[in-house]
Amino acid sequence: MMQWKTAASAAARDLGRNAIFCGLTALLPLIAGPMIAGYPGVAPMLGWLLMLVFCGIVLALAIHLLFDTLLFRLAASHETEAAGLAAVDDLLSRMQLRKPDRTPPGLEKRIAGSRRIVWQQRLALVLYLGILAILQLNASHAPPPA
């Protein structure tokens, strides 16, 4: 396997794993949230709304990363790097997601762009889990139910 195919396959694998891990991590507190929402003082409404917003951001970025994963797999399925990236650009232009460029970015630039999205997703996940921790600390100091 050529070096660019290895890089594209590794990027696809890493992006897919990150998207699934962060997406599931974001969903677990929302699944457990309604179970504990009935207890008084568990979480103010604003806290839950902020959690929903950040969960939505994390999930949207997870979907974007899964789409990038499929694009890198498409590129790796071709014989040459130029043919693979041309197929990706053609697909994106047919879907009207990107206008055709005169000089399309190379594989490394595309991988770097996807890694920036990974870091944005991780930041949103950290903020989301931070809000969850604050809500749980708030709930642990609430007066017991009467």
Side-chain angles (χ1 to χ4, degrees), residues 109-130:
K109 198 170 191 179
R110 294 173 196 237
I111 291 173
S114 293
R115 286 188 179 144
R116 279 192 301 274
I117 296 170
V118 167
W119 283 108
Q120 291 170 356
Q121 183 188 33
R122 288 178 181 171
L123 175 65
L125 183 64
V126 165
L127 291 173
Y128 170 73
L129 293 176

Side-chain angles (χ1 to χ4, degrees), residues 15-28:
L15 291 174
R17 285 181 183 166
N18 187 77
I20 290 171
F21 175 76
C22 288
L24 290 177
T25 302
L27 286 176
L28 286 177

Side-chain angles (χ1 to χ4, degrees), residues 3-18:
Q3 184 176 2
W4 75 270
K5 278 190 173 187
T6 305
S9 297
R13 183 185 63 246
D14 293 343
L15 291 174
R17 285 181 183 166
N18 187 77

Side-chain angles (χ1 to χ4, degrees), residues 85-86 88-105 110:
L85 296 179
V88 168
D89 289 336
D90 180 54
L91 177 68
L92 291 174
S93 67
R94 281 190 283 138
M95 293 177 71
Q96 298 178 354
L97 295 174
R98 178 186 290 172
K99 295 179 183 176
D101 295 333
R102 290 186 183 152
T103 57
R110 294 173 196 237

Side-chain angles (χ1 to χ4, degrees), residues 4-64:
W4 75 270
K5 278 190 173 187
T6 305
S9 297
R13 183 185 63 246
D14 293 343
L15 291 174
R17 285 181 183 166
N18 187 77
I20 290 171
F21 175 76
C22 288
L24 290 177
T25 302
L27 286 176
L28 286 177
L30 289 182
I31 293 169
M35 289 184 244
I36 61 171
Y39 296 104
V42 169
M45 184 58 86
L46 179 63
W48 283 108
L49 288 175
L50 281 172
M51 280 183 55
L52 282 173
V53 167
F54 280 105
C55 181
I57 292 170
V58 171
L59 292 177
L61 291 172
I63 291 168
H64 187 150

